[in-house]
Amino acid sequence: MNGPPKPGAEAGAEALNAAQAAEAADGFRAVHGGEPTGIWAAPGRVNLIGEHTDYNDGFVMPLALPHTTRVAAARRDDGVLAVHSADVSGGTVRLRAEKLAPGTADGWAAYPAGVVWALRGAGLLSGRETGADLYVRSDVPTGAGLSSSAALEVATAVALNGLYGLGLAPERVARLCRRAENEFVGVPCGIMDQMASACCAAGHVLHLDTRDLAARQVPFDLAAAGLRLLVVDTRVTHALGDGEYARRRAGCEEAAAALGVAALRDIPHGELDAALAGLADPALRPLVRHVVTENRRVEEVVGFLDAGEPRFIGPVLTAGHASLRDDFAVSCPELDLVVETANAAGALGARMTGGGFGGSAVVLVEAAGAEEVGAAVADAFGAAGHRAPRLFEAVPSEGARRLEG
């Protein structure tokens, strides 16, 4: 299995942070000249359970990954936003902060530009002179359903928060970043990804009510139970801006309106059958069934973790995948192959994670059998003629923070 070094012990995490901060600072000097004021980091995330529920005001349970996006930053007094990514060719993108509006930036630069636009729209970065030099470096896989876009947004936001002393709480950071993605970039995502990147705690999963953002950090120490949570990146790149994601969201909103509720979260599990019978459009019924049953699955997982029984969440994960595959129709052959192969090889449970149409799956395994399950998945991909998947362990890690400087 590959991936970035695991933080593990506190000393290991500190060493990793220091090395990444030094790398970002060196890159900033080479690109922008001078010294960065500081280096900030925000993680990608993997969602344990609760998929396509966040934009339905439902419940989710993400955890932050050790993979992060780092932003080395310094203020400018000329109103220019100069952003450079070490991971994308094309050089430094320069934009006038005061002229930012949806459609004025594209590609990867739209994400940090959108954050600046959202901050200015909220009256937090006012004045023609406010700008910044940003140097970006990331090991969050792109297109893998691990929230690389949210990590970039949140890392940018916490960097600007630090540079300009805005005093933003993590929840406010998440709200502003979601606005940037929804209105500037044009992806109608919910708020789970941004909240996970901004607010998760090491060693925990975040039980989040996306309606009011009530959150609880739930201990998630799989190692103590002899378990591991693997992430399998199928390397099938997804793009949530291609319309399929938006169509699912629009269908959920149409169903909620037809049922006379503010959001599908308001349909009790015990009233699901009646709700389905009350929908005139049969195409909306599977969307409703997924959201209502997925919210119930989140409750089940929370119950098992609170009871100290993490092994029991495996079948719930697998049931969640079946619902995403059959009712919400957002899986793909490669994701289905991961789930089927892993479970056949002895995994306790598995499911796709993220928006779907590609990306990654999570697999709950006994620690002693992790390598065997991983090898079985890799062999199955080879036999099917697919590109080799990328496997690594999901270690519940810290949310956005300043690394140095």
Side-chain angles (χ1 to χ4, degrees):
M1 297 181 193
N2 49 21
K6 292 188 298 182
E10 183 176 346
E14 291 177 356
L16 177 61
N17 286 342
Q20 291 178 336
E23 178 186 49
D26 287 344
F28 183 95
R29 294 184 195 104
V31 170
H32 295 295
E35 294 293 324
T37 302
I39 297 94
W40 289 263
R45 68 96 188 96
V46 68
N47 193 23
L48 183 65
I49 194 74
E51 217 66 76
H52 289 276
T53 51
D54 60 342
Y55 55 79
N56 288 290
D57 284 0
F59 305 98
V60 295
M61 288 195 74
L63 59 111
L65 292 169
H67 307 67
T68 60
T69 294
R70 282 85 62 191
V71 172
R75 292 173 62 158
R76 295 178 65 111
D77 61 6
D78 60 357
V80 171
L81 175 67
V83 291
H84 182 97
S85 172
D87 309 300
V88 180
S89 61
T92 302
V93 178
R94 299 179 186 275
L95 301 161
R96 296 289 310 180
E98 65 178 313
K99 294 183 178 180
L100 290 174
T104 57
D106 55 18
W108 73 272
Y111 294 93
V115 171
V116 172
W117 170 82
L119 290 170
R120 290 180 65 85
L124 294 165
L125 283 182
S126 58
R128 296 167 59 91
E129 74 283 357
T130 53
D133 286 328
L134 305 180
Y135 175 86
V136 179
R137 187 66 187 263
S138 182
D139 55 30
V140 182
T142 58
L146 303 176
S147 296
S148 59
S149 60
L152 176 54
E153 292 158 358
V154 172
T156 301
V158 295
L160 294 168
N161 186 37
L163 288 181
Y164 283 96
L166 304 179
L168 299 176
E171 178 187 308
R172 184 81 188 281
V173 167
R175 289 184 184 275
L176 288 163
C177 289
R178 178 181 61 170
R179 185 178 180 222
E181 188 152 353
N182 287 175
E183 299 179 31
F184 192 93
V185 180
V187 176
C189 64
I191 200 169
M192 174 183 67
D193 296 350
Q194 292 82 7
M195 280 291 291
S197 188
C199 302
C200 276
H204 295 74
V205 289
L206 184 71
H207 180 211
L208 176 67
D209 181 337
T210 63
R211 168 165 285 170
D212 61 9
L213 300 191
R216 180 166 72 94
Q217 304 286 352
V218 180
F220 194 59
D221 187 359
L222 293 183
L227 303 175
R228 296 172 70 183
L229 185 69
L230 306 181
V231 177
V232 182
D233 175 6
T234 65
R235 298 182 184 264
V236 177
T237 302
H238 75 225
L240 297 186
D242 66 359
E244 289 299 325
Y245 183 98
R247 278 189 280 275
R248 301 301 189 284
R249 179 167 185 162
C252 289
E253 292 170 350
E254 182 182 350
L259 293 169
V261 295
L264 293 183
R265 173 258 183 75
D266 296 312
I267 305 296
H269 188 268
E271 298 177 15
L272 175 59
D273 289 344
L276 296 179
L279 283 170
D281 185 350
L284 299 179
R285 293 170 189 161
L287 301 181
V288 174
R289 183 165 49 241
H290 167 72
V291 173
V292 174
T293 59
E294 186 77 347
N295 279 323
R296 170 57 68 89
R297 283 186 284 272
V298 174
E299 294 176 355
E300 292 174 347
V301 168
V302 170
F304 288 136
L305 294 181
D306 284 343
E309 297 288 355
R311 277 181 174 78
F312 293 166
I313 73 174
V316 185
L317 302 184
T318 301
H321 182 79
S323 182
L324 289 160
R325 180 193 65 211
D326 300 336
D327 280 340
F328 227 69
V330 292
S331 188
C332 67
E334 292 85 354
L335 287 168
D336 295 341
L337 182 61
V338 173
V339 172
E340 294 162 6
T341 303
N343 284 335
L348 299 176
R351 75 171 191 92
M352 59 155 282
T353 186
F357 315 107
S360 300
V362 289
V363 182
L364 183 68
V365 295
E366 299 281 359
E371 296 297 331
E372 180 180 344
V373 171
V377 170
D379 289 346
F381 267 55
H386 300 319
R387 185 181 179 189
R390 179 171 182 258
L391 286 81
F392 58 90
E393 184 174 0
V395 179
S397 300
E398 187 180 358
R401 69 269 189 193
R402 185 168 182 163
L403 295 183
E404 190 177 278

